Amino acid sequence: MELKERLKTLRKERKESQERVARAIDIALRNYQRFESGKGYPSFHVLCALADHFQVNMDYLAGRTDIRDPLPPLSEEL
């Protein structure tokens, strides 16, 4: 599954509008619409924000895995 399909599926599961997601990650609506249509790709910073917003890992968004779980935070004891 491609990024555009993952974004659309995640957004619909949460019953959010494209406008709501765009506002939540602080980008223009048109930019988000381009991601869902496959006519544009997010920057690394925006991809991170999308993963945080949808509470999934970036590999899931990119279609590299079907495992949604976000990675656990790094231990501060390192």
Side-chain angles (χ1 to χ4, degrees), residues 3-11 32 35 54 61:
L3 173 69
K4 65 181 184 178
E5 295 159 333
R6 296 271 165 122
L7 290 174
K8 191 172 188 176
T9 298
L10 289 166
R11 180 178 59 78
Y32 182 79
F35 305 154
F54 289 120
L61 277 181

Side-chain angles (χ1 to χ4, degrees), residues 6-71:
R6 296 271 165 122
L7 290 174
K8 191 172 188 176
T9 298
L10 289 166
R11 180 178 59 78
K12 288 188 174 202
E13 284 177 3
R14 293 170 58 122
K15 296 178 172 74
E16 291 183 311
S17 67
Q18 291 179 333
E19 182 178 4
R20 168 72 182 97
V21 175
R23 268 187 290 148
I25 63 169
D26 198 28
I27 63 170
L29 172 59
R30 184 68 191 130
N31 288 340
Y32 182 79
Q33 290 170 330
R34 288 175 195 220
F35 305 154
E36 274 198 18
S37 70
K39 294 180 181 174
Y41 295 95
S43 66
F44 179 76
H45 174 76
V46 173
L47 189 64
C48 290
L50 285 164
D52 289 346
H53 178 75
F54 289 120
Q55 298 177 328
V56 297
N57 67 62
M58 292 194 313
D59 280 344
Y60 177 79
L61 277 181
R64 293 172 38 111
T65 183
D66 289 330
I67 299 169
R68 289 184 177 202
D69 297 336
L71 297 174

